[in-house]
């Protein structure tokens, strides 16, 4: 079985991965809105509720990541 590998990050900045993870969390919050609406339009409240939980987890992760980034940048510049 072949393993998939990703190329090394083109940006060699220590905060790059953190910024990218924050971006992905925030994008997933937006994407879940579509999935929630789709599930609700089909009358699938169980699935809509599950998508809302994912959305909330991404919201928390995004906020934690923003706080971490702010703290790191303040330490570097302070």
């Amino acid at each position: 079985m072949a393993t998939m590998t990703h190329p090394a990050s083109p940006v060699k900045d220590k905060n790059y991965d953190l910024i990218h993870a924050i971006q992905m969390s925030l994008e997933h919050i937006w994407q879940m809105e579509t999935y929630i609406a789709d599930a609700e339009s089909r009358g699938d409240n169980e699935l809509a509720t599950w998508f809302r939980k994912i959305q909330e987890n991404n919201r928390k992760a995004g906020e934690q990541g923003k706080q971490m980034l702010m703290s790191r940048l303040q330490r570097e510049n302070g």
Side-chain angles (χ1 to χ4, degrees):
M1 180 173 156
T3 59
M4 293 183 64
T5 59
H6 296 282
S9 170
V11 179
K12 298 299 182 195
D13 180 278
K14 65 183 181 177
N15 291 321
Y16 175 81
D17 290 343
L18 174 57
I19 292 167
H20 188 254
I22 294 167
Q23 175 198 4
M24 296 304 296
S25 291
L26 298 176
E27 284 183 19
H28 286 138
I29 293 167
W30 177 257
Q31 186 63 50
M32 288 300 118
E33 286 296 324
T34 301
Y35 296 165
I36 290 165
D38 289 349
E40 288 177 338
S41 72
R42 292 187 306 270
D44 193 337
N45 292 325
E46 179 183 30
L47 188 56
T49 298
W50 187 69
F51 287 141
R52 281 189 188 91
K53 289 177 183 177
I54 293 171
Q55 187 180 49
E56 183 57 28
N57 287 339
N58 277 283
R59 185 173 285 114
K60 288 176 185 176
E63 286 302 316
Q64 289 171 348
K66 287 191 297 185
Q67 291 299 318
M68 185 183 300
L69 180 61
M70 187 177 357
S71 175
R72 288 170 172 254
L73 293 174
Q74 287 172 344
R75 281 194 310 262
E76 288 175 11
N77 295 319

XYZ file of all heavy atoms in Angstrom:
634
model
N 0.839 -1.175 0.000
C 0.000 0.000 0.000
C 0.891 1.248 0.000
O 1.771 1.402 0.827
C -0.887 -0.028 1.249
C -1.802 1.137 1.371
S -2.898 0.807 2.770
C -3.313 2.455 3.166
N 0.662 2.110 -0.941
C 1.459 3.334 -1.055
C 0.969 4.360 -0.038
O -0.220 4.456 0.242
C 1.344 3.905 -2.461
N 1.898 5.101 0.507
C 1.518 6.168 1.427
C 1.565 7.487 0.688
O 2.416 7.704 -0.171
C 2.458 6.228 2.646
O 3.788 6.435 2.178
C 2.380 4.945 3.447
N 0.622 8.350 1.028
C 0.588 9.672 0.405
C 1.410 10.627 1.243
O 1.307 10.641 2.459
C -0.849 10.175 0.311
C -1.703 9.377 -0.635
S -3.362 10.036 -0.798
C -3.034 11.640 -1.521
N 2.224 11.385 0.588
C 2.996 12.399 1.289
C 2.702 13.743 0.649
O 2.391 13.831 -0.541
C 4.507 12.114 1.207
O 4.890 12.087 -0.159
C 4.850 10.797 1.883
N 2.763 14.759 1.462
C 2.562 16.116 0.980
C 3.919 16.775 0.839
O 4.819 16.535 1.640
C 1.700 16.908 1.964
C 0.318 16.360 2.091
N -0.652 16.599 1.149
C -0.260 15.585 3.036
C -1.770 15.989 1.513
N -1.552 15.364 2.652
N 4.055 17.626 -0.162
C 5.337 18.320 -0.304
C 5.574 19.242 0.888
O 4.629 19.655 1.560
C 5.172 19.120 -1.598
C 3.709 19.209 -1.825
C 3.102 18.005 -1.171
N 6.820 19.534 1.137
C 7.168 20.436 2.238
C 6.530 21.794 1.984
O 6.334 22.209 0.842
C 8.674 20.574 2.343
N 6.191 22.465 3.060
C 5.600 23.791 2.961
C 6.533 24.716 2.184
O 7.732 24.752 2.442
C 5.363 24.360 4.363
O 5.018 25.721 4.274
N 5.985 25.490 1.245
C 6.828 26.424 0.501
C 7.254 27.618 1.351
O 8.179 28.323 1.004
C 5.926 26.870 -0.644
C 4.546 26.704 -0.113
C 4.608 25.522 0.809
N 6.569 27.807 2.458
C 6.861 28.940 3.339
C 7.518 28.395 4.598
O 6.954 27.562 5.291
C 5.568 29.700 3.707
C 5.868 30.850 4.635
C 4.862 30.177 2.457
N 8.706 28.863 4.882
C 9.438 28.360 6.044
C 9.311 29.341 7.215
O 10.281 29.811 7.765
C 10.917 28.149 5.691
C 11.134 27.126 4.613
C 10.630 25.765 5.025
C 10.902 24.740 3.954
N 10.172 23.525 4.124
N 8.095 29.662 7.556
C 7.801 30.554 8.670
C 7.166 29.716 9.764
O 6.274 28.909 9.488
C 6.859 31.665 8.210
C 6.519 32.630 9.314
O 5.616 32.310 10.109
O 7.143 33.695 9.393
N 7.597 29.919 11.003
C 7.106 29.060 12.083
C 5.616 29.219 12.349
O 4.998 28.344 12.928
C 7.910 29.297 13.359
C 7.764 30.683 13.944
C 8.645 30.821 15.158
C 8.503 32.203 15.767
N 9.287 32.330 16.968
N 5.014 30.315 11.922
C 3.582 30.515 12.155
C 2.720 30.148 10.948
O 1.499 30.212 11.028
C 3.320 31.970 12.555
C 3.878 32.283 13.925
O 3.812 31.462 14.836
N 4.454 33.458 14.078
N 3.341 29.753 9.854
C 2.593 29.445 8.641
C 1.552 28.356 8.865
O 0.388 28.515 8.484
C 3.537 29.049 7.502
C 2.801 28.616 6.264
C 2.286 29.562 5.388
C 2.600 27.269 5.979
C 1.594 29.181 4.254
C 1.912 26.878 4.857
C 1.406 27.837 3.994
O 0.711 27.451 2.880
N 1.936 27.256 9.468
C 1.003 26.152 9.689
C -0.141 26.582 10.600
O -1.291 26.187 10.384
C 1.712 24.936 10.277
C 2.647 24.268 9.277
O 2.517 24.523 8.062
O 3.501 23.484 9.712
N 0.160 27.384 11.600
C -0.878 27.881 12.501
C -1.867 28.751 11.728
O -3.087 28.586 11.864
C -0.246 28.665 13.655
C -1.205 29.368 14.621
C -2.184 28.382 15.242
C -0.412 30.103 15.691
N -1.367 29.646 10.916
C -2.238 30.519 10.128
C -3.096 29.697 9.175
O -4.303 29.929 9.030
C -1.402 31.567 9.365
C -0.773 32.538 10.362
C -2.252 32.299 8.327
C 0.306 33.421 9.767
N -2.489 28.711 8.547
C -3.240 27.859 7.612
C -4.327 27.070 8.341
O -5.446 26.936 7.843
C -2.285 26.928 6.870
C -2.953 26.179 5.782
N -3.265 24.848 5.878
C -3.417 26.591 4.566
C -3.877 24.461 4.787
N -3.981 25.497 3.970
N -4.023 26.554 9.518
C -5.020 25.804 10.293
C -6.179 26.706 10.706
O -7.345 26.281 10.676
C -4.369 25.168 11.517
N -5.875 27.949 11.079
C -6.938 28.903 11.418
C -7.818 29.146 10.199
O -9.046 29.108 10.283
C -6.341 30.237 11.927
C -5.621 30.035 13.253
C -7.440 31.294 12.079
C -4.750 31.213 13.667
N -7.194 29.367 9.062
C -7.939 29.598 7.825
C -8.871 28.426 7.518
O -10.041 28.622 7.187
C -6.988 29.811 6.652
C -7.717 29.936 5.318
C -6.828 29.705 4.121
O -5.658 29.382 4.253
N -7.378 29.857 2.955
N -8.353 27.209 7.634
C -9.163 26.029 7.334
C -10.329 25.903 8.310
O -11.446 25.573 7.913
C -8.294 24.772 7.366
C -7.216 24.746 6.291
S -7.834 24.944 4.599
C -8.827 23.483 4.452
N -10.095 26.184 9.593
C -11.180 26.128 10.578
C -12.272 27.116 10.223
O -13.463 26.791 10.269
C -10.650 26.421 11.985
O -9.841 25.377 12.437
N -11.887 28.337 9.861
C -12.864 29.369 9.530
C -13.607 29.044 8.236
O -14.808 29.283 8.130
C -12.185 30.731 9.462
C -11.557 31.197 10.779
C -10.812 32.517 10.577
C -12.589 31.314 11.889
N -12.918 28.460 7.271
C -13.585 28.041 6.034
C -14.603 26.937 6.306
O -15.684 26.926 5.709
C -12.562 27.556 5.010
C -11.814 28.674 4.337
C -10.852 28.168 3.275
O -10.987 27.029 2.790
O -9.940 28.941 2.927
N -14.268 26.023 7.209
C -15.191 24.932 7.521
C -16.447 25.452 8.213
O -17.531 24.893 8.028
C -14.497 23.860 8.362
C -13.549 23.039 7.570
N -12.313 22.670 8.034
C -13.639 22.515 6.323
C -11.698 21.963 7.103
N -12.482 21.867 6.059
N -16.315 26.509 9.004
C -17.503 27.116 9.631
C -18.470 27.545 8.531
O -19.672 27.262 8.594
C -17.114 28.324 10.513
C -16.311 27.856 11.726
C -18.363 29.089 10.964
C -15.630 28.994 12.478
N -17.945 28.218 7.539
C -18.770 28.703 6.427
C -19.364 27.527 5.651
O -20.546 27.530 5.319
C -17.905 29.578 5.510
C -18.616 30.061 4.298
C -18.509 29.588 3.036
C -19.567 31.128 4.234
N -19.306 30.285 2.177
C -19.982 31.238 2.898
C -20.104 31.993 5.179
C -20.912 32.182 2.481
C -21.030 32.936 4.749
C -21.419 33.018 3.429
N -18.561 26.516 5.350
C -19.024 25.370 4.570
C -20.136 24.616 5.283
O -21.072 24.137 4.652
C -17.862 24.423 4.270
C -18.233 23.293 3.338
C -18.642 23.773 1.960
O -17.939 24.556 1.339
N -19.781 23.321 1.476
N -20.043 24.516 6.602
C -21.068 23.800 7.353
C -22.444 24.449 7.193
O -23.467 23.766 7.252
C -20.709 23.717 8.841
C -19.570 22.762 9.166
S -19.896 21.063 8.677
C -18.566 20.838 7.507
N -22.499 25.763 6.966
C -23.785 26.441 6.735
C -24.516 25.801 5.555
O -25.721 25.562 5.624
C -23.589 27.940 6.481
C -23.243 28.736 7.701
C -24.349 28.754 8.744
O -25.549 28.783 8.384
O -24.006 28.715 9.939
N -23.781 25.516 4.487
C -24.373 24.880 3.312
C -24.851 23.479 3.653
O -25.966 23.081 3.293
C -23.345 24.818 2.161
O -22.935 26.148 1.858
C -23.920 24.144 0.931
N -24.024 22.724 4.366
C -24.396 21.355 4.713
C -25.605 21.321 5.643
O -26.479 20.462 5.510
C -23.221 20.635 5.371
C -22.010 20.444 4.487
C -20.794 20.098 5.039
C -22.057 20.609 3.107
C -19.665 19.909 4.252
C -20.942 20.440 2.310
C -19.751 20.092 2.889
O -18.642 19.904 2.112
N -25.649 22.255 6.581
C -26.792 22.333 7.506
C -28.069 22.628 6.726
O -29.101 21.969 6.922
C -26.537 23.403 8.596
C -25.438 22.934 9.548
C -27.822 23.711 9.369
C -24.859 24.033 10.430
N -28.006 23.608 5.833
C -29.180 23.966 5.030
C -29.630 22.787 4.168
O -30.836 22.519 4.048
C -28.875 25.187 4.170
N -28.680 22.085 3.576
C -29.015 20.919 2.752
C -29.713 19.841 3.583
O -30.724 19.284 3.168
C -27.764 20.325 2.106
C -27.187 21.197 1.004
O -27.853 22.167 0.579
O -26.044 20.917 0.589
N -29.165 19.559 4.754
C -29.755 18.526 5.616
C -31.156 18.944 6.063
O -32.085 18.126 6.048
C -28.855 18.279 6.835
N -31.309 20.203 6.448
C -32.621 20.681 6.892
C -33.642 20.647 5.761
O -34.808 20.303 5.989
C -32.506 22.089 7.466
C -31.821 22.113 8.810
C -31.636 23.505 9.381
O -31.647 24.498 8.614
O -31.465 23.588 10.604
N -33.211 20.965 4.547
C -34.148 20.948 3.416
C -34.627 19.532 3.107
O -35.701 19.354 2.533
C -33.516 21.583 2.176
O -32.518 20.740 1.630
N -33.839 18.537 3.500
C -34.233 17.132 3.328
C -34.945 16.588 4.566
O -35.286 15.416 4.620
C -33.003 16.280 3.013
C -32.389 16.570 1.658
C -31.283 15.588 1.307
N -30.234 15.494 2.313
C -29.130 16.236 2.347
N -28.928 17.150 1.423
N -28.225 16.075 3.287
N -35.094 17.445 5.583
C -35.759 17.004 6.804
C -34.897 16.118 7.683
O -35.412 15.404 8.540
N -33.582 16.164 7.510
C -32.668 15.317 8.277
C -32.067 16.129 9.427
O -30.953 16.639 9.347
C -31.566 14.775 7.361
C -30.768 13.647 7.984
O -30.743 13.549 9.242
O -30.160 12.864 7.230
N -32.835 16.256 10.498
C -32.397 17.055 11.645
C -31.205 16.443 12.362
O -30.382 17.173 12.917
C -33.556 17.271 12.617
C -34.619 18.160 12.010
O -34.311 19.081 11.260
N -35.871 17.875 12.312
N -31.113 15.117 12.353
C -29.974 14.457 12.993
C -28.670 14.887 12.320
O -27.694 15.249 12.988
C -30.133 12.943 12.915
C -28.978 12.186 13.545
C -29.115 10.675 13.387
O -29.704 10.208 12.384
O -28.610 9.959 14.277
N -28.657 14.873 10.999
C -27.461 15.265 10.259
C -27.173 16.762 10.440
O -26.025 17.153 10.633
C -27.619 14.926 8.780
C -26.391 15.103 7.896
C -25.204 14.289 8.423
C -26.724 14.714 6.460
N -28.215 17.586 10.408
C -28.040 19.027 10.605
C -27.433 19.310 11.976
O -26.531 20.149 12.100
C -29.375 19.752 10.450
N -27.885 18.595 12.980
C -27.339 18.766 14.333
C -25.878 18.363 14.377
O -25.044 19.040 14.985
C -28.150 17.937 15.354
O -29.493 18.435 15.359
C -27.560 18.020 16.747
N -25.535 17.285 13.716
C -24.148 16.830 13.675
C -23.262 17.872 12.991
O -22.174 18.182 13.471
C -24.066 15.484 12.961
C -22.717 14.853 13.014
C -22.087 14.330 14.110
C -21.814 14.678 11.919
N -20.850 13.842 13.748
C -20.666 14.035 12.415
C -21.889 14.989 10.568
C -19.594 13.712 11.599
C -20.814 14.661 9.751
C -19.680 14.029 10.277
N -23.739 18.426 11.859
C -22.984 19.478 11.179
C -22.812 20.708 12.066
O -21.769 21.353 12.049
C -23.653 19.876 9.862
C -23.510 18.849 8.763
C -24.572 18.605 7.904
C -22.334 18.144 8.567
C -24.462 17.681 6.875
C -22.207 17.214 7.544
C -23.283 16.980 6.694
N -23.826 21.046 12.858
C -23.711 22.184 13.779
C -22.622 21.930 14.829
O -21.904 22.851 15.219
C -25.040 22.457 14.462
C -26.011 23.199 13.600
C -27.236 23.649 14.390
N -28.222 24.178 13.483
C -29.193 23.469 12.902
N -29.322 22.188 13.189
N -30.037 24.038 12.079
N -22.518 20.694 15.281
C -21.467 20.354 16.254
C -20.083 20.515 15.625
O -19.157 21.034 16.266
C -21.656 18.932 16.775
C -22.852 18.794 17.686
C -23.059 17.351 18.121
C -24.317 17.219 18.971
N -24.583 15.831 19.340
N -19.949 20.070 14.399
C -18.680 20.242 13.687
C -18.382 21.727 13.530
O -17.253 22.178 13.751
C -18.718 19.549 12.308
C -18.804 18.041 12.471
C -17.502 19.941 11.465
C -19.073 17.306 11.180
N -19.399 22.484 13.172
C -19.251 23.928 13.001
C -18.785 24.583 14.299
O -17.879 25.418 14.289
C -20.584 24.522 12.537
C -20.518 25.978 12.173
C -21.865 26.485 11.725
O -22.875 26.255 12.385
N -21.889 27.185 10.596
N -19.375 24.205 15.408
C -18.991 24.781 16.698
C -17.559 24.398 17.070
O -16.799 25.224 17.588
C -19.959 24.347 17.797
C -19.671 24.959 19.143
C -19.664 26.486 19.155
O -20.356 27.107 18.325
O -18.945 27.063 19.998
N -17.179 23.152 16.804
C -15.798 22.734 17.072
C -14.809 23.549 16.243
O -13.748 23.942 16.737
C -15.620 21.244 16.796
C -16.271 20.379 17.844
O -16.520 20.812 18.960
N -16.580 19.144 17.480
N -15.145 23.805 14.988
C -14.277 24.620 14.139
C -14.241 26.062 14.621
O -13.203 26.714 14.551
C -14.732 24.551 12.680
C -14.197 23.326 11.987
O -13.035 23.279 11.623
N -15.030 22.324 11.832
N -15.367 26.560 15.113
C -15.400 27.922 15.649
C -14.462 28.032 16.857
O -13.672 28.972 16.960
C -16.829 28.301 16.032
C -16.986 29.744 16.480
C -18.442 30.129 16.689
N -19.079 30.316 15.383
C -20.052 29.562 14.881
N -20.534 28.556 15.574
N -20.571 29.805 13.699
N -14.539 27.050 17.739
C -13.658 27.042 18.916
C -12.194 26.938 18.499
O -11.341 27.650 19.027
C -14.014 25.882 19.845
C -15.315 26.065 20.587
C -15.646 24.837 21.414
C -17.010 24.949 22.066
N -17.365 23.717 22.786
N -11.897 26.052 17.566
C -10.521 25.877 17.107
C -10.009 27.157 16.456
O -8.860 27.563 16.680
C -10.424 24.706 16.118
N -10.849 27.805 15.664
C -10.450 29.060 15.031
C -10.146 30.140 16.051
O -9.153 30.859 15.944
N -10.995 30.253 17.067
C -10.776 31.257 18.109
C -9.508 30.957 18.915
O -8.730 31.857 19.221
C -11.987 31.348 19.040
C -13.172 32.045 18.416
C -12.859 33.465 17.958
O -12.188 34.215 18.707
O -13.277 33.820 16.845
N -9.310 29.694 19.253
C -8.095 29.313 19.983
C -6.854 29.607 19.150
O -5.860 30.115 19.657
C -8.143 27.834 20.352
C -9.142 27.508 21.431
C -9.321 26.001 21.607
O -8.867 25.191 20.795
N -10.011 25.630 22.674
N -6.933 29.299 17.872
C -5.805 29.552 16.987
C -5.511 31.037 16.850
O -4.345 31.451 16.852
N -6.555 31.860 16.745
C -6.343 33.308 16.649
C -5.694 33.847 17.915
O -4.780 34.679 17.841
C -7.663 34.026 16.385
C -8.171 33.826 14.962
C -9.334 34.729 14.611
C -10.559 34.488 15.427
N -11.718 35.293 14.987
N -6.128 33.359 19.066
C -5.530 33.794 20.329
C -4.059 33.379 20.404
O -3.202 34.148 20.840
C -6.305 33.230 21.528
C -7.685 33.825 21.698
C -7.645 35.318 21.939
O -6.823 35.825 22.687
N -8.538 36.039 21.281
N -3.782 32.154 19.980
C -2.406 31.658 19.998
C -1.524 32.490 19.058
O -0.411 32.876 19.417
C -2.364 30.189 19.580
C -0.977 29.582 19.695
S -0.904 27.857 19.129
C -2.077 27.081 20.237
N -2.032 32.781 17.876
C -1.267 33.575 16.920
C -1.014 34.979 17.466
O 0.105 35.485 17.389
C -1.998 33.643 15.582
C -1.308 34.446 14.486
C 0.060 33.851 14.150
C -2.198 34.507 13.247
N -2.037 35.593 18.036
C -1.875 36.930 18.589
C -0.810 36.937 19.687
O 0.061 37.805 19.714
C -3.206 37.443 19.162
C -3.140 38.881 19.604
S -4.702 39.616 20.218
C -5.920 38.372 20.033
N -0.860 35.951 20.554
C 0.114 35.851 21.633
C 1.527 35.683 21.087
O 2.470 36.326 21.547
C -0.252 34.675 22.541
O 0.724 34.473 23.516
N 1.682 34.840 20.098
C 3.005 34.603 19.505
C 3.543 35.866 18.838
O 4.723 36.186 18.967
C 2.930 33.473 18.488
C 2.761 32.125 19.124
C 2.437 31.076 18.067
N 2.459 29.774 18.677
C 3.433 28.889 18.486
N 4.458 29.162 17.718
N 3.379 27.724 19.089
N 2.691 36.563 18.118
C 3.129 37.773 17.432
C 3.490 38.870 18.423
O 4.465 39.598 18.203
C 2.052 38.254 16.454
C 1.799 37.341 15.254
C 0.609 37.855 14.443
C 3.034 37.199 14.393
N 2.739 38.973 19.516
C 3.061 39.962 20.534
C 4.411 39.659 21.186
O 5.198 40.569 21.446
C 1.965 40.029 21.582
C 0.707 40.698 21.093
C -0.452 40.605 22.065
O -0.444 39.795 22.995
N -1.473 41.419 21.836
N 4.684 38.382 21.449
C 5.976 38.001 22.035
C 7.121 38.326 21.085
O 8.185 38.760 21.509
C 5.994 36.503 22.376
C 5.275 36.163 23.649
C 5.611 34.757 24.130
N 5.480 33.719 23.124
C 4.428 32.908 22.978
N 3.396 33.022 23.783
N 4.419 31.984 22.056
N 6.920 38.078 19.793
C 7.965 38.335 18.826
C 8.237 39.831 18.651
O 9.355 40.220 18.387
C 7.571 37.754 17.467
C 7.621 36.248 17.421
C 7.101 35.692 16.102
O 6.903 36.475 15.141
O 6.890 34.473 16.019
N 7.197 40.634 18.787
C 7.330 42.071 18.531
C 7.422 42.891 19.812
O 7.514 44.104 19.749
C 6.152 42.565 17.688
C 6.153 41.950 16.316
O 7.188 41.820 15.699
N 4.997 41.548 15.845
N 7.327 42.235 20.953
C 7.299 42.980 22.203
C 8.512 42.860 22.947
O 9.433 43.198 23.374
